[in-house]
């Protein structure tokens, strides 16, 4: 979260009279998000960076299913409607603040705009999403992402807005519900749909045919690069390996909104670090790229004095391949590179989690 320095009372009174403090606080709250360090990029900057490779390109022809079982075929919308996708999460503060805007946009959309809320599928269950919808009185269609949509639209932050013109091309990627988003929605509705068929046909289908690994599967001999620049082999290594999926902001950002999740993340971190010097075991922390950069992960490492190897899964590829949707998640890989066991959530945070996991290492 962004740190605030409390000004002197006199300065506060002057700022309040001028309205500057109120404006400052409003903008800070809108930008509030899980960042590991004050110098981290803002949500808007992260969304802008994520969108650079997308803007002007053909939007993917993906078929989704809403949490109510509604089939939504994006490819069939191109050429007929503009499309507005909003990635969000129930634990995300700016997502909550912007949700009334999304609902108003859906209710006033008309026949030329499709509005769809895409839950990022990270640290959220179907039950939690449905409960949130009920409490907020939402009627906008909601999809719980299985990773394909996040991969297709380069998800790096929540909320992340995607606006697709009637021509089937990606027109806008952003973080704030501001005038730029409204301008993009108006422009998307007026885009010439004549090139939609060509644009859609050229669209990529990310995550189609991607590798997936479950308990019992043999991992290929592939390596990842850790924060210190070393290569870490994820396949056969001659030693048992524990891969810990984590987030550098879980313990801090979720401490108030989702305290149990924050507790789980802290427990998993503590027991991993306690085994960091074990010569018979290899450990690897894989950090989600959602709301996190290499600098954020380095700050997390330094804050907690972690010595286990860490790598940033910036694109989310490893999380998708191992079908990890919550942190912490621990995987046990045997010395031959086979996935033996998997524990997640509170079970991964228990002090007995690692000992119980390693009992299966043979």
């Amino acid at each position: 979260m962004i740190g605030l320095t409390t000004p002197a009372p006199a300065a506060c009174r002057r700022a309040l009279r001028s309205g500057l403090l109120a404006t400052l606080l409003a903008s800070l709250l809108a930008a509030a998000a899980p960042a590991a360090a004050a110098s981290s990029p803002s949500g808007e900057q992260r969304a802008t960076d994520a969108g650079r490779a997308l803007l002007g390109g053909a939007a993917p022809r993906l078929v989704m299913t809403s949490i109510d079982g509604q089939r939504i075929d994006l490819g069939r919308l191109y050429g007929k409607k503009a499309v507005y996708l909003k990635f969000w999460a129930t634990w995300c503060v700016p997502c909550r603040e912007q949700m009334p805007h999304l609902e108003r946009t859906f209710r006033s959309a008309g026949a030329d705009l499709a509005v769809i809320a895409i839950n990022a599928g990270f640290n959220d269950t179907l039950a939690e999403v449905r409960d949130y919808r009920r409490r907020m009185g939402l009627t906008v269609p909601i999809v719980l992402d299985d990773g394909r949509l996040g991969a297709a639209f380069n998800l790096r932050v929540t909320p992340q807005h995607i606006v697709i013109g009637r021509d089937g091309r990606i027109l806008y990627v952003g973080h704030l519900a501001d005038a730029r988003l409204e301008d993009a929605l108006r422009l998307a509705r007026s885009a010439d749909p004549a090139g939609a068929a060509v644009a859609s046909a050229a669209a990529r289908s990310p995550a189609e045919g991607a590798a997936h690994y479950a308990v019992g599967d043999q991992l290929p001999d592939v390596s990842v690069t850790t924060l210190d620049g070393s290569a870490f082999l994820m396949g056969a290594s001659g030693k048992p390996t524990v891969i810990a999926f984590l987030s550098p902001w879980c313990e801090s950002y979720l401490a108030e909104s989702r305290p149990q999740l924050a507790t789980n993340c802290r427990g998993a971190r503590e027991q991993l670090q306690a085994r960091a010097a074990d010569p018979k075991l290899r450990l690897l922390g894989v950090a989600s790229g959602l709301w996190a950069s290499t600098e954020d992960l380095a700050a997390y490492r330094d804050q907690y004095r972690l010595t286990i190897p860490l790598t940033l899964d910036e694109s989310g590829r490893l999380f998708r391949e191992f079908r990890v949707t919550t942190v912490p998640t621990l995987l046990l890989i045997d010395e031959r590179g086979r996935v033996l066991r998997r524990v997640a959530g509170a079970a991964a945070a228990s002090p007995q989690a690692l000992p119980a996991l390693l009992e299966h290492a043979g």
Side-chain angles (χ1 to χ4, degrees):
M1 297 290 291
I2 298 173
L4 295 177
T5 301
T6 304
C12 281
R13 288 194 294 271
R14 288 194 298 272
L16 283 170
R17 282 196 297 270
S18 66
L20 292 177
L21 180 58
T23 301
L24 173 62
L25 288 174
S27 66
L28 285 172
L29 286 171
S39 59
S40 298
S42 68
E44 183 62 21
Q45 184 61 56
R46 293 176 198 263
T48 299
D49 291 344
R52 283 200 180 95
L54 301 176
L55 294 179
R61 299 174 65 94
L62 292 173
V63 178
M64 308 173 286
T65 302
S66 76
I67 61 174
D68 295 317
Q70 176 188 0
R71 186 176 185 271
I72 303 172
D73 188 337
L74 288 180
R76 289 184 175 274
L77 296 176
Y78 306 148
K80 301 173 184 175
K81 298 185 178 186
V83 178
Y84 169 32
L85 306 176
K86 176 181 175 176
F87 286 89
W88 65 284
T90 65
W91 42 260
C92 164
V93 172
C95 296
R96 296 174 188 171
E97 294 169 349
Q98 293 182 22
M99 200 56 77
H101 168 270
L102 179 71
E103 180 68 12
R104 287 195 304 270
T105 303
F106 169 70
R107 294 192 183 194
S108 62
D112 60 350
L113 177 65
V115 181
I116 306 162
I118 311 294
N119 182 276
F122 184 77
N123 279 357
D124 266 335
T125 65
L126 178 59
E128 288 166 339
V129 172
R130 283 177 169 161
D131 180 65
Y132 182 86
R133 177 180 65 174
R134 177 188 59 77
R135 288 187 287 108
M136 294 292 292
L138 300 177
T139 59
V140 59
I142 298 175
V143 172
L144 184 60
D145 189 21
D146 60 4
R148 292 181 305 137
L149 293 163
F153 294 103
N154 204 16
L155 180 63
R156 293 291 184 274
V157 68
T158 52
Q160 184 165 307
H161 307 281
I162 309 290
V163 179
I164 302 168
R166 292 175 62 205
D167 61 356
R169 296 190 180 277
I170 299 173
L171 181 66
Y172 176 81
V173 179
H175 173 66
L176 302 175
D178 58 7
R180 288 173 297 177
L181 174 60
E182 295 299 333
D183 289 344
L185 290 171
R186 282 191 291 271
L187 183 59
R189 292 163 128 164
S190 64
D192 182 4
V198 175
S200 300
R204 58 195 175 99
S205 251
E208 296 273 342
H212 291 111
Y213 305 110
V215 172
D217 289 345
Q218 180 73 36
L219 298 184
D221 290 331
V222 296
S223 64
V224 297
T225 302
T226 63
L227 271 181
D228 65 3
S230 302
F232 190 100
L233 183 67
M234 299 188 70
S237 65
K239 290 182 182 181
T241 300
V242 173
I243 301 177
F245 288 85
L246 54 88
S247 170
W249 45 262
C250 177
E251 296 179 51
S252 55
Y253 185 72
L254 299 180
E256 292 187 10
S257 62
R258 301 287 284 275
Q260 185 57 58
L261 280 175
T263 298
N264 293 345
C265 289
R266 181 176 67 251
R269 170 182 56 79
E270 290 173 347
Q271 62 175 314
L272 288 167
Q273 183 57 32
R275 299 294 292 266
D278 188 340
K280 299 179 180 178
L281 176 66
R282 298 193 320 145
L283 296 168
L284 174 67
V286 177
S288 167
L290 184 64
W291 271 114
S293 64
T294 300
E295 292 74 22
D296 297 324
L297 185 56
Y300 169 78
R301 175 198 61 194
D302 296 343
Q303 178 182 359
Y304 295 111
R305 300 180 181 179
L306 292 176
T307 58
I308 67 170
L310 298 171
T311 187
L312 180 69
D313 187 22
E314 185 175 14
S315 70
R317 177 181 62 85
L318 294 174
F319 272 73
R320 290 191 299 275
E321 288 183 353
F322 288 97
R323 298 188 184 277
V324 174
T325 59
T326 189
V327 293
T329 292
L330 306 180
L331 298 180
L332 174 63
I333 315 299
D334 70 14
E335 66 276 7
R336 296 179 298 277
R338 187 167 59 93
V339 184
L340 287 185
R341 296 276 290 177
R342 175 188 182 116
V343 292
S350 165
Q352 290 76 42
L354 265 182
L357 204 62
L358 294 172
E359 284 180 3
H360 299 269

